[in-house]
Amino acid sequence: MQYYNDKSNESGANFLFMLFQMLMILVVYGFVYTSFAAVKMAIAKYDLTVMTYLPEFIATIAYPVVMMKTMKMFKSGKRQRAIAWMMAWASIIIVALYAHLSQLIAS
């Protein structure tokens, strides 16, 4: 007979959250990588400056910071809020990169 153990449930939830974080960073970095490739092509085609890469660099640095903040939030007991923040920032970054690329093509 097994007894309810809150410690094992908490460690299991932390493990699942870390797996979800890995999945989300793969998704976001997939979009960042394709944005880097698209910006490289736009720089070659439209003769733009290297500063065009700035939103991609910001996204590359900002998302792991968001993930560390959400990990702290998750461990402090605010689990749903941490998942929502992580997914919301992923979608904001993806949409911002798309908007950035659409502005490059329009010019």
Side-chain angles (χ1 to χ4, degrees):
M1 176 184 235
Q2 289 184 340
Y3 292 101
Y4 176 77
N5 187 357
D6 201 30
K7 192 80 165 167
S8 66
N9 287 344
E10 185 176 338
S11 66
N14 286 338
F15 178 73
L16 288 176
F17 185 71
M18 282 193 282
L19 282 178
F20 184 63
Q21 276 190 325
M22 285 185 236
L23 175 71
M24 291 304 295
I25 201 159
L26 286 174
V27 168
V28 170
Y29 277 180
F31 279 96
V32 169
Y33 176 75
T34 55
S35 294
F36 271 118
V39 167
K40 182 180 177 182
M41 289 188 298
I43 286 174
K45 185 173 182 179
Y46 299 116
D47 201 30
L48 302 171
T49 66
V50 179
M51 288 302 290
T52 313
Y53 285 117
L54 188 62
E56 284 76 14
F57 283 124
I58 291 172
T60 303
I61 294 170
Y63 196 63
V65 171
V66 168
M67 292 181 77
M68 288 180 13
K69 297 276 187 183
T70 57
M71 180 57 87
K72 288 179 187 176
M73 201 182 300
F74 190 84
K75 288 189 177 191
S76 71
K78 301 173 185 171
R79 294 187 169 133
Q80 290 177 340
R81 182 179 290 183
I83 292 171
W85 270 75
M86 187 173 53
M87 292 179 68
W89 275 105
S91 64
I92 288 170
I93 288 171
I94 290 168
V95 169
L97 289 175
Y98 177 74
H100 170 66
L101 291 176
S102 68
Q103 290 297 318
L104 289 179
I105 304 302
S107 60

